[in-house]
Amino acid sequence: MRRLCGYYCLGLALSLGAFALGCGKRQPAVVCHVTYGGETKRLEFPATQSPYTVKPVDVAGRFAFKAIYLREPARARSISLYAYERTDAGDRLIQEGMYTPHLSLRADAGHGFTGRQLAYSRDQRELEYWCELSP
């Protein structure tokens, strides 16, 4: 009986240790550095299997930005980026990009896989961004 308890306790300790290590591991994400009016925000978008649930993040009330990072299934693996102009009538798409990991995720001189991107609203406001994969 004592030996059975020892094995049980050892198994429980190993399971808890493996669980703790798994919780500390960072999940893959796309990190975008978005600048408007001289202020830069670091936006993190974790991988998702539900692309339609990803909401755009407000940028100074003038723009909105979102990234959809699909990792599974492998045949659909991609990163889609969307920049919107905020208007009274709602968000208006001003720039869209799609990247596939096996073809286009090379880093570009300090500006991640997107390179430095500029998007403009109808009234010539400028949104700057670049994105990278988190390590």
Side-chain angles (χ1 to χ4, degrees):
M1 184 68 153
R2 186 175 205 151
R3 177 175 252 179
L4 183 61
C5 181
Y7 288 127
Y8 174 76
C9 292
L10 177 63
L12 182 61
L14 289 174
S15 297
L16 289 175
F19 178 74
L21 287 174
C23 288
K25 186 177 179 182
R26 278 192 86 146
Q27 295 299 315
V30 171
V31 176
C32 296
H33 307 268
V34 179
T35 303
Y36 173 71
E39 182 181 338
T40 301
K41 286 186 172 185
R42 182 183 186 277
L43 307 177
E44 191 166 316
F45 298 92
T48 184
Q49 291 183 344
S50 303
Y52 298 108
T53 63
V54 178
K55 302 289 183 215
V57 176
D58 182 72
V59 179
R62 303 284 187 185
F63 293 97
F65 188 88
K66 76 175 175 179
I68 298 173
Y69 183 19
L70 293 175
R71 287 177 47 91
E72 300 294 332
R75 70 184 185 292
R77 190 171 294 160
S78 64
I79 298 169
S80 298
L81 305 176
Y82 302 90
Y84 302 92
E85 170 186 17
R86 291 255 149 128
T87 69
D88 292 336
D91 291 348
R92 185 177 75 89
L93 183 65
I94 57 174
Q95 192 172 56
E96 175 182 13
M98 180 181 251
Y99 301 84
T100 54
H102 64 282
L103 295 177
S104 59
L105 293 183
R106 297 186 321 268
D108 175 35
H111 290 106
F113 63 84
T114 60
R116 181 174 173 248
Q117 298 291 312
L118 300 172
Y120 294 92
S121 67
R122 281 190 235 178
D123 55 358
Q124 297 305 304
R125 289 189 171 95
E126 180 182 85
L127 179 72
E128 177 183 340
Y129 69 89
W130 62 274
C131 301
E132 63 187 334
L133 287 173
S134 65

